[in-house]
Amino acid sequence: MSRGFRAVSATFVTLVGLCLAVLPAHSVLDVENRGPQLTAGAFAMRITNIGAIGNPFRDVGRSFDPSLEYPRGSGRELLKHAQLWVGAEDPLGHVRVSGGPLLEWRPTLDPEDRVRVAYAGGPGTLRWIDDDGDGRIDEEFMDGRDDDADGEVDEDLGLFATQTLFARYRDDQPEATQYYYPNGESHVPLHLEVRQEAFAWAIPGYDQVVGLRFVITNRGTEPLTKVRIGLHADLDASLSGSVGGHLDDVARAVDYQQHFNDGTSRIPSAFLHPPISNPIPWYKDCLTTVSGAAPSIHESRREPGGGSVALVPLWHTTDPLSLLEEQGRVSGSILRPYYFAPPRVSFRSSYFANDLPPGQGGSPILDADRYRALAGEFPGVPDTLLAHDYVVLMSCGPFTRLDPGRSLEMDLALVVAPPESLRTEVEHALQIHHGGYVNALPDSAASLWRQWWIGNTGITGHEVCYEPPVGLEFVVDPHCVIKFAPDAVATVDSQAHYEHGSCVWTDLDCDACTGFDGRETFARWRDPAGVPMPPTWRTVSGDGVVRVEWDDRSEVLVDARIANDANVRFVGYNLYRLDDWRSRQADLPSPARFQQVASFARDTTLGARPLAQATDSSVAYDRILYERRLHPVGRYRWNDTRVLNGFDYVYAVTAVSERTLQVLGDTPITERLESPILATLDSVVTPDVAAREAPGGVWVVPNPFRARAPWDRAPVPGDSFSRHLDFMGLPRARSTIRIYTLAGDLVTTIDHDGSRGDGQARWDLISRNGQDVASGIYLFTVESRGTNQVGRFVVLR
């Protein structure tokens, strides 16, 4: 090679490298088919990382995942998609809204910014526990990053739902600001980052609740004012693939009311100041009533099996400074410039309709109008008794000021149920969100507990150690003595000086029920059961057999007593099989179609097989976890021989535990807890036969082929070419299969290579012209190694 040619080549390679280096990177939009879904409950719901809840791309064929399918596997949808809207005034006084058109929210260029799935009960998931020993509690967000800079990733999450999906996205990505939106309006970002979590529970009674949490953070350099947050939910009650089913929905408000008892705040008489002789302590019963109305929609025709959906407002960030002004404890003129949120939880809801124009009931399409809608000032549907394609906007605010680095939170729930039981399920959403007070911070000495003038980590109503923002100073009574009136248990009115740089434990809301007995933190959301973490499993197909293999992580975690409920005991495993595909409307039929085919348990009293029968002791353990040996998939295995070659099956393995609720006499009352049936279409397994050494022994399965038989995997959107019959017993060589009608017309040709041992070829019953074949008798020939076999089969459509 000449020196000149080498120089030119080097220059060319350098230029190509530079060109590749400047090619723009792209974020990973987690919106494609068969993506992350909430499936632990009685529904299936797609979650994305573009600020959209549900699947916004079903209508365009980009993804066929369910948006909000209830019941799971039924094909009945209750949501087209929902979008997060955040509006504010920027530093120049311009009103902006992020999240109107799709794709204004996008993940960053970090490939780790995708939707992630986690299950409660795994390592690092315990709530209110310092899993990683760094002195902080539940500080991680599952995003593939080391959020607390301790060298570990996603190690201290604090999960409370059976299944949680995490997503992170922003409104200021270049792809969003340079995108052309259908409304013709340019996207001007507010420089916001959103951490989104979606929750599902497997326990009956709560398995129809979708929990949603949004944490919005100002990542810009300037404060935002008059911030409003909302969820714009296009609620649709329709059957998947139906035309016009979304146009006959009826809207109504579901009234709810729930009472909660959070305990009793007490001050022993010996600790009153001044001491009194009355031996009865001062106390306050901490009772809370939550009431309101949740917007909902249902089909006007009330078809059998039809469902309804409600959007339930739960909680948003509130500001302790505004509480001080509301109580008149500090002058509002001093505090008002530092407000960032309303003093009380307050939501507003509006109905719009996609089949009406904007301003006459239709949804707004421009930033200025969307902001008015968030404020409840944009005209909605005038008469919700009429059938429309309804959209609900649930919003809160205004939050007076959002400084750089500060965050706002909004909690909502989507609830699905038959119309007659929707109110009950809405109340279940309130129950699961309400949670309760927990002791998350170290307490002062026990001898100081319950002295009303001692405020340390939630003693006698002191719920927060408050530090004012920069520039704010004021003097106030940290104990809020007036909360005891008219009981007159306290006569000392102490004052404390508040300034930035130090915090003072304070009863800011002047309520002895927020922060008492050391329980200073209100834990929103809770796990009503503690369902065990599902095992990991796989299937291996064979000739007339499917082997199911799984790991022992579920029992290791329960045995280690790391669950919040120490009374939970591991029981065993249940194995389920799906082989009935009739009338499926979604990728997989309902979990109710899965039949239990095996059960292995430590205690065989109820008929389960001994767990030892499924144990493969030759599989070495991976590592030590919580002082116990953790084995990989393959630790347990079971062979299902009640299967047929050429037929499609889906398997699932669940973990079972139990806990004692109470003892009546000598009889313990126990509750069984089982992880959900989690399966996807990607796990379909088909038993098959190995290739034969000699040609001439080919047969067809099933024969006759009957459409709509239990084993017929009829096509659905996203799985269009699933129907098949199979040619079995093909030779260990190349072969050609030709299919003919009785009249001798060639239907199609299939080339098969069995040289590696595959003795089975699949045909989708589509002719070479792309048409479904009709019912009838068909002939086939198999040419291989100079031989020609002839056979026949029957198709009944």
Side-chain angles (χ1 to χ4, degrees):
M1 181 184 293
S2 68
R3 181 180 302 173
F5 182 77
R6 286 197 299 268
V8 171
S9 299
T11 302
F12 176 76
V13 171
T14 301
L15 289 174
V16 170
L18 289 173
C19 291
L20 292 176
V22 299
L23 286 176
H26 295 281
S27 54
V28 180
L29 303 183
D30 214 337
V31 298
E32 305 301 339
N33 196 38
R34 298 183 188 171
Q37 300 176 34
L38 282 174
T39 54
F43 54 86
M45 185 177 196
R46 183 67 159 89
I47 300 296
T48 76
N49 61 353
I50 60 169
I53 304 296
N55 181 3
F57 300 110
R58 284 183 64 89
D59 293 345
V60 298
R62 182 170 181 175
S63 171
F64 297 98
D65 291 336
S67 193
L68 177 53
E69 180 190 53
Y70 171 77
R72 179 155 56 107
S74 68
R76 293 184 177 273
E77 294 284 354
L78 292 173
L79 173 74
K80 186 173 182 181
H81 71 278
Q83 293 177 256
L84 176 67
W85 287 8
V86 182
E89 283 190 2
D90 64 17
L92 298 178
H94 299 138
V95 172
R96 311 290 185 192
V97 176
S98 291
L102 278 172
L103 300 177
E104 287 193 345
W105 298 109
R106 292 175 184 249
T108 70
L109 301 183
D110 186 342
E112 298 296 333
D113 274 353
R114 62 183 189 273
V115 180
R116 295 175 176 271
V117 184
Y119 295 92
T125 66
L126 293 185
R127 200 177 191 196
W128 308 118
I129 298 294
D130 182 9
D131 291 293
D132 54 356
D134 64 355
R136 287 175 287 181
I137 296 174
D138 303 342
E139 71 276 8
E140 287 278 336
F141 179 84
M142 191 170 187
D143 54 6
R145 302 174 181 175
D146 182 8
D147 295 319
D148 56 354
D150 64 354
E152 299 182 81
V153 174
D154 301 337
E155 79 286 355
D156 196 356
L157 295 172
L159 303 186
F160 46 80
T162 306
Q163 183 187 29
T164 304
L165 268 62
F166 299 80
R168 185 196 295 266
Y169 45 86
R170 297 183 62 134
D171 74 338
D172 56 2
Q173 295 305 292
E175 295 163 298
T177 58
Q178 299 169 16
Y179 187 80
Y180 177 79
Y181 293 92
N183 63 0
E185 187 175 38
S186 299
H187 171 54
V188 180
L190 295 168
H191 300 288
L192 299 171
E193 179 188 68
V194 179
R195 294 192 308 175
Q196 170 192 295
E197 296 171 69
F199 317 114
W201 292 264
I203 192 73
Y206 300 94
D207 57 353
Q208 293 168 235
V209 177
V210 182
L212 298 171
R213 173 193 285 164
F214 302 94
V215 180
I216 299 105
T217 304
N218 182 357
R219 294 303 185 193
T221 59
E222 300 290 338
L224 300 172
T225 57
K226 301 179 182 178
V227 182
R228 297 181 184 274
I229 308 172
L231 189 70
H232 183 262
D234 188 351
L235 307 176
D236 285 334
S238 61
L239 185 64
S240 178
S242 65
V243 178
H246 58 290
L247 298 175
D248 63 350
D249 295 337
V250 175
R252 66 184 178 94
V254 178
D255 297 327
Y256 57 81
Q257 185 177 75
Q258 279 290 284
H259 305 283
F260 299 98
N261 185 347
D262 295 317
T264 302
S265 179
R266 298 174 181 270
I267 304 177
S269 57
F271 289 155
L272 300 181
H273 189 79
I276 60 176
S277 58
N278 188 349
I280 300 176
W282 181 91
Y283 69 92
K284 179 181 180 181
D285 291 327
C286 299
L287 306 175
T288 305
T289 298
V290 179
S291 60
S296 72
I297 65 102
H298 60 84
E299 288 182 305
S300 59
R301 291 174 293 178
R302 296 285 184 98
E303 294 182 357
S308 56
V309 56
L311 180 58
V312 186
L314 296 173
W315 182 81
H316 61 70
T317 303
T318 57
D319 192 347
L321 283 183
S322 52
L323 286 173
L324 289 179
E325 183 189 9
E326 184 182 75
Q327 298 159 9
R329 297 163 68 185
V330 180
S331 170
S333 61
I334 297 175
L335 301 178
R336 204 165 294 121
Y338 299 93
Y339 279 4
F340 74 95
R344 304 290 179 186
V345 176
S346 178
F347 285 91
R348 68 186 61 84
S349 60
S350 305
Y351 289 101
F352 300 99
N354 288 328
D355 54 327
L356 296 176
Q360 301 178 37
S363 294
I365 60 175
L366 299 175
D367 273 4
D369 290 339
R370 280 198 293 269
Y371 188 84
R372 289 175 56 203
L374 287 168
E377 299 171 355
F378 191 78
V381 175
D383 186 357
T384 58
L385 296 178
L386 301 177
H388 285 290
D389 181 10
Y390 280 102
V391 178
V392 170
L393 176 63
M394 183 68 66
S395 62
C396 58
F399 302 91
T400 310
R401 180 185 179 95
L402 184 61
D403 289 318
R406 300 202 74 169
S407 301
L408 299 170
E409 181 180 331
M410 178 176 69
D411 292 349
L412 303 170
L414 283 164
V415 176
V416 293
E420 62 273 11
S421 60
L422 186 60
R423 176 175 297 169
T424 299
E425 298 304 328
V426 167
E427 292 175 346
H428 286 168
L430 298 173
Q431 295 166 10
I432 207 167
H433 176 264
H434 182 76
Y437 292 94
V438 297
N439 190 354
L441 299 176
D443 295 319
S444 58
S447 61
L448 298 180
W449 277 36
R450 300 179 181 176
Q451 299 181 30
W452 68 264
W453 63 93
I454 300 295
N456 291 308
T457 68
I459 309 301
T460 61
H462 299 74
E463 77 280 353
V464 62
C465 195
Y466 186 71
E467 176 185 355
V470 176
L472 175 61
E473 291 188 43
F474 59 89
V475 175
V476 72
D477 168 21
H479 314 303
C480 194
V481 176
I482 61 175
K483 71 172 175 274
F484 298 115
D487 297 297
V489 300
T491 58
V492 177
D493 184 10
S494 60
Q495 301 288 316
H497 181 254
Y498 290 75
E499 61 181 342
H500 186 73
S502 62
C503 69
V504 180
W505 276 99
T506 310
D507 187 353
L508 279 173
D509 63 358
C510 206
D511 186 353
C513 285
T514 54
F516 63 92
D517 288 347
R519 299 194 293 272
E520 79 295 324
T521 303
F522 193 83
R524 304 187 187 280
W525 304 105
R526 65 188 182 92
D527 188 347
V531 173
M533 185 179 184
T536 301
W537 71 90
R538 66 175 174 235
T539 55
V540 181
S541 63
D543 186 352
V545 65
V546 173
R547 186 171 72 251
V548 184
E549 302 176 348
W550 66 100
D551 65 0
D552 61 356
R553 179 182 296 266
S554 303
E555 62 189 275
V556 166
L557 296 172
V558 174
D559 290 345
R561 292 289 190 267
I562 67 167
N564 293 329
D565 190 342
N567 291 323
V568 175
R569 300 173 298 281
F570 179 78
V571 173
Y573 301 97
N574 288 335
L575 280 69
Y576 296 87
R577 182 184 68 206
L578 170 70
D579 53 22
D580 185 353
W581 299 87
R582 286 175 295 184
S583 303
R584 69 166 179 155
Q585 300 294 331
D587 281 355
L588 289 181
S590 165
R593 294 276 187 91
F594 283 74
Q595 57 176 314
Q596 184 175 331
V597 291
S599 179
F600 296 93
R602 293 174 176 175
D603 183 354
T604 60
T605 303
L606 297 180
R609 306 180 193 182
L611 190 54
Q613 288 186 5
T615 304
D616 186 346
S617 57
S618 66
V619 175
Y621 66 91
D622 273 342
R623 61 190 178 105
I624 299 296
L625 182 65
Y626 299 110
E627 301 180 356
R628 287 166 172 79
R629 293 181 177 182
L630 178 66
H631 297 82
V633 174
R635 170 63 169 179
Y636 300 117
R637 59 183 57 193
W638 174 72
N639 290 328
D640 187 1
T641 57
R642 294 172 295 175
V643 294
L644 298 174
N645 291 334
F647 291 79
D648 297 333
Y649 302 94
V650 177
Y651 289 83
V653 183
T654 64
V656 182
S657 61
E658 67 179 12
R659 62 178 174 181
T660 301
L661 300 178
Q662 58 180 323
V663 177
L664 298 178
D666 296 329
T667 304
I669 305 299
T670 60
E671 179 184 28
R672 283 285 172 116
L673 306 171
E674 184 174 5
S675 63
I677 294 177
L678 302 173
T680 67
L681 193 62
D682 296 328
S683 61
V684 170
V685 59
T686 306
D688 51 15
V689 297
R692 305 297 175 91
E693 293 301 328
V698 178
W699 70 96
V700 175
V701 172
N703 188 10
F705 174 90
R706 292 188 178 91
R708 294 173 295 280
W711 38 259
D712 177 25
R713 194 170 132 203
V716 295
D719 190 29
S720 302
F721 302 102
S722 52
R723 177 170 277 159
H724 65 92
L725 58 75
D726 294 76
F727 294 87
M728 318 288 286
L730 291 163
R732 188 182 293 273
R734 292 184 178 274
S735 58
T736 299
I737 305 169
R738 291 183 175 88
I739 302 171
Y740 300 89
T741 65
L742 282 180
D745 297 324
L746 179 64
V747 177
T748 193
T749 300
I750 303 172
D751 292 320
H752 178 74
D753 185 1
S755 59
R756 296 186 177 181
D758 182 8
Q760 185 169 325
R762 176 172 293 193
W763 180 43
D764 58 10
L765 284 85
I766 303 295
S767 73
R768 59 177 177 162
N769 299 321
Q771 298 176 320
D772 287 332
V773 298
S775 297
I777 301 175
Y778 291 85
L779 305 176
F780 71 88
T781 64
V782 181
E783 298 178 14
S784 179
R785 295 178 180 175
T787 64
N788 190 358
Q789 177 188 347
V790 179
R792 68 175 61 191
F793 61 89
V794 177
V795 174
L796 301 175
R797 304 301 292 265

